[in-house]
Amino acid sequence: MGVLEEKKETVRKVVTTKEGPNLKGTMIAVMLLGGFIVLSWFSVYWLYMVRL
Amino acid sequence: MKNELVVDRNDAKLSMAHLYIAFAAVLLGGIAGLLQTLVRSGTIQLPAGIGYYQLLTAHGILLALVFTTYFIIGFFYAGMSRTMGKFYDQPYRLGWLGYIVMTIGTALTTVMVLLNEGTVLYTFYAPLKASPWFYIGLTLFIVGTWLAGGAMCHQYYIWKKVTHKKISPLFSFMAVMTMVLWFVATIGVAVSVIFQFIPWSFGWVDEINILLSRTLFWYFGHPLVYFWLLPAYVCWYVIIPEIIGGKIFSDSLARLSFVLFLLFSIPVGFHHQLLESGISPFWKYLQVVLTFMVIVPSLMTAFSLFATFEIAGRKKGAKGLFGWFRALPWKDARFFAPMVGMLIFIPAGAGGIINASNQMNQIVHNTLWVTGHFHLTVASSVALTFFGIAYWLIPHLTGRVLTGRMHQIANLQTILWAVGMFFMSGAMHTVGLLGAPRRTAYTTYQEHPDALGWIPYEVTMAVGGSILFIAILLLIYIITDLAFFAPKGKEDFPIGEVAEAAEKTPVILENWRLWLGIATVLILVAYIVPVIHMIEHAPPGSPGYKFW
Ligand code: HEM
Ligand SMILES: [Cu+2]
């Protein structure tokens, strides 16, 4: 990638972060998703421990 | 207008030829699935000397191999033609050749299963020994897919040469990446079938190294599940944004996640062999760590999809934290089926992480939990997405339209599928945790109280299976209508545009040498030492057995 192109991109980045989209819902949804995974994991882990 | 773009007539024929076989396989496999649940719950006994395991072999092959592979290849031909333009002569002819070879292989293997000469289940684990023609059929099937992959790679190569573009259309890039993954993965199973199973089943050698054959199988078996999943991701990343009136969140992120799937989906087969003696814990550990790396591109995908939905919803004026969720086009069958598939992927993915964890694998290994798991992944997330694609792809290719009424029927199909799967897969998960084994016909283990306690769950599975079967009949009705009877017209082939705010795609993401190089290194690191050990200190070879 040429130097010129890289420069252009940095300029664009600055512009877009200023008016970045509102992604609050996405953030929370992904966190809930992670939480669900951890919860399921630990519930089967618990089953493993009690059967050990 | 870009949506004026139509898949070339000849390419459409090639694509449709694949889709017909795919959906015929769904119908036949669905009948087998229904019968399985009825047998397992003690509701019926199979007539006419049909064996339970014969049926199960047919179910696995028809749905997990024939339906998925034919659909994927048909979908890719259409999408590449749509995004890169009509197939050039040579790759086009190669595509048909691949179709013919694949179909001869499929027919041969199917006949062997029908003759009860191949009742070894779709994973054909040694020492179960089928007729050599069963394995030869499988080989032809794989060779056919290689020709198909070759056709796509060739098309891509010519396109790049002719257009001098450094970055290919996202759809085509993803299709080629999926086929590259398939090439690398199928080497394992091809080696095993050609050098182990065929000579052994012909009787040229007496014994087989089971440990090695299983290892080669799972070298292929795990990327196989990504071969099913990536085409669904193509729909989620590239097509869904357009259908919901949004934009692709980031082209680079989409490509990067596909690159990561190539890297991390192959050197991980040992997570299916955690209970296999003969592989040292160190190598299992290493491969489990690599397995967990796949969580990275998976969460990237989740993030990027949610973001696409939220941005699209907010543009339409959705308010609040989750208003965008309600603003999605739930009545549009092209959206609803894949979206339900995506939602089902949440518990499906969580289950996968449990399966791959060493200790918990001991709880779920070879139980119905596993069967419940992949009926969520491949049989729901992937299958529903493929159905959702077919709803617009088939009319697009046959010059018809998906009418408002068909949208409603298709949505009913999706709901029935989700409800049926809730009962069937839910019961499978639960009874699996209670210890009920998979791949087992009706038995009470001499009235053992534990086994008797499983029966109500088996009945729940049969209820779910019956609902699913109705959904399959509805699906076949929809597909037949769209292919032959729906009103003539023009149905869009939706291809999303990248959001204006997204970064420019770095060329390095399309550097095949680099990614294939890293993939090879990872594979060698993960496999070379244990495989050499399996050959040098081979366990005693096994003769073949035929228990059916
Ligand atoms: C009508 C819908 C379906 C029903 C009722 C059904 C039912 C079943 C049942 C009961 C089993 C387990 C039998 C056992 O372990 O003894 C099974 C296995 C399996 N199913 Fe399905 N299924 C359906 C759809 C699908 C679909 C759409 C796919 C894939 C796309 C699929 C793929 C598989 C596979 C790969 C197995 C494992 C076979 C084996 O263990 O060798 N099924 N199915
Ligand atoms: Cu796996």
Side-chain angles (χ1 to χ4, degrees), chain B residues 218 221-223 225-226 265 268-269 271-272 291 356:
Chain B
W218 285 114
H222 186 75
V225 311
Y226 279 94
S265 75
V268 298
H271 68 224
H272 292 267
T291 302

Side-chain angles (χ1 to χ4, degrees), chain B residues 229-281:
Chain B
L229 192 59
L230 291 186
Y233 276 25
V234 172
C235 171
W236 301 353
Y237 269 118
V238 184
I239 286 160
I240 292 295
E242 175 75 11
I243 292 177
I244 66 169
K247 293 276 162 75
I248 297 173
F249 179 66
S250 157
D251 178 277
S252 318
L253 185 139
R255 282 178 211 251
L256 179 63
S257 80
F258 269 55
V259 167
L260 293 177
F261 282 124
L262 172 70
L263 301 187
F264 294 116
S265 75
I266 301 172
V268 298
F270 284 173
H271 68 224
H272 292 267
Q273 295 174 279
L274 290 173
L275 296 187
E276 182 93 72
S277 46
I279 302 172
S280 94

Side-chain angles (χ1 to χ4, degrees), chain B residues 96 107 141 182 190 239 250 258 290 358 486 520 523:
Chain B
W96 276 111
F141 177 77
W182 179 250
I239 286 160
S250 157
F258 269 55
L290 287 171
N358 187 56
T520 311
I523 291 168

Side-chain angles (χ1 to χ4, degrees), chain A residues 5 22 25-26 41 48 51, chain B residues 310 346 357 360 363 433 504:
Chain A
E5 257 174 278
N22 177 356
T26 301
W41 195 90
Y48 170 77
R51 283 185 188 175
Chain B
E310 181 162 10
I346 295 173
S357 306
M360 283 175 268
I363 300 231
L433 290 178
K504 189 164 165 278

Side-chain angles (χ1 to χ4, degrees), chain B residues 1 139 141 287 414:
Chain B
M1 268 293 292
T139 309
F141 177 77
Q287 293 210 7
T414 303

Side-chain angles (χ1 to χ4, degrees), chain B residues 186-492:
Chain B
T186 42
I187 293 170
V189 73
V191 166
S192 173
V193 168
I194 294 170
F195 294 104
Q196 294 193 287
F197 282 93
I198 292 182
W200 175 66
S201 59
F202 269 119
W204 303 335
V205 296
D206 296 330
E207 294 178 338
I208 191 166
N209 180 340
I210 294 180
L211 177 59
L212 182 64
S213 75
R214 288 186 184 174
T215 301
L216 288 170
F217 181 84
W218 285 114
Y219 165 93
F220 154 79
H222 186 75
L224 170 67
V225 311
Y226 279 94
F227 175 68
W228 299 331
L229 192 59
L230 291 186
Y233 276 25
V234 172
C235 171
W236 301 353
Y237 269 118
V238 184
I239 286 160
I240 292 295
E242 175 75 11
I243 292 177
I244 66 169
K247 293 276 162 75
I248 297 173
F249 179 66
S250 157
D251 178 277
S252 318
L253 185 139
R255 282 178 211 251
L256 179 63
S257 80
F258 269 55
V259 167
L260 293 177
F261 282 124
L262 172 70
L263 301 187
F264 294 116
S265 75
I266 301 172
V268 298
F270 284 173
H271 68 224
H272 292 267
Q273 295 174 279
L274 290 173
L275 296 187
E276 182 93 72
S277 46
I279 302 172
S280 94
F282 171 76
W283 296 107
K284 290 180 183 167
Y285 174 76
L286 179 79
Q287 293 210 7
V288 165
V289 171
L290 287 171
T291 302
F292 278 62
M293 297 296 288
V294 176
I295 299 174
V296 175
S298 307
L299 286 179
M300 275 164 59
T301 303
F303 177 84
S304 140
L305 294 172
F306 281 131
T308 303
F309 296 155
E310 181 162 10
I311 296 170
R314 290 199 188 280
K315 241 188 212 143
K316 283 188 213 158
K319 294 273 174 311
L321 210 48
F322 290 113
W324 48 273
F325 193 74
R326 244 178 302 132
L328 292 167
W330 295 101
K331 291 202 168 116
D332 187 335
R334 302 169 308 162
F335 168 77
F336 186 56
M339 182 64 186
V340 173
M342 287 182 230
L343 293 175
I344 292 178
F345 203 60
I346 295 173
I353 301 175
I354 291 168
N355 299 340
S357 306
N358 187 56
Q359 287 83 342
M360 283 175 268
N361 187 265
Q362 297 175 39
I363 300 231
V364 302
H365 195 83
N366 275 347
T367 69
L368 271 173
W369 161 286
V370 174
T371 319
H373 165 70
F374 60 67
H375 280 86
L376 291 188
T377 53
V378 66
S380 296
S381 297
V382 171
L384 282 174
T385 301
F386 287 3
F387 300 164
I389 294 168
Y391 297 152
W392 52 262
L393 181 59
I394 293 181
H396 177 90
L397 297 176
T398 55
R400 297 176 189 277
V401 285
L402 177 65
T403 60
R405 204 178 85 89
M406 259 319 154
H407 273 283
Q408 287 173 345
I409 299 178
N411 287 343
L412 176 65
Q413 199 291 335
T414 303
I415 291 169
L416 284 177
W417 195 275
V419 171
M421 210 44 102
F422 175 80
F423 285 112
M424 187 174 91
S425 174
M428 284 172 163
H429 274 95
T430 318
V431 77
L433 290 178
L434 298 178
R438 66 184 283 203
R439 296 180 156 176
T440 309
Y442 178 73
T443 168
T444 57
Y445 298 89
Q446 292 159 341
E447 313 296 321
H448 191 285
D450 283 352
L452 290 176
W454 300 334
I455 300 282
Y457 294 95
E458 299 275 2
V459 173
T460 312
M461 278 165 54
V463 171
S466 307
I467 300 174
L468 279 166
F469 186 68
I470 297 172
I472 284 192
L473 294 180
L474 203 53
L475 173 77
I476 298 300
Y477 166 72
I478 299 168
I479 298 296
T480 316
D481 185 80
L482 292 175
F484 303 108
F485 305 109
K488 293 266 179 199
K490 238 185 109 265
E491 185 68 40
D492 270 355

Side-chain angles (χ1 to χ4, degrees), chain B residues 167-183:
Chain B
I167 300 282
S168 57
L170 185 57
F171 185 108
S172 296
F173 171 83
M174 289 174 152
V176 172
M177 180 63 83
T178 308
M179 294 317 285
V180 166
L181 173 77
W182 179 250
F183 279 127

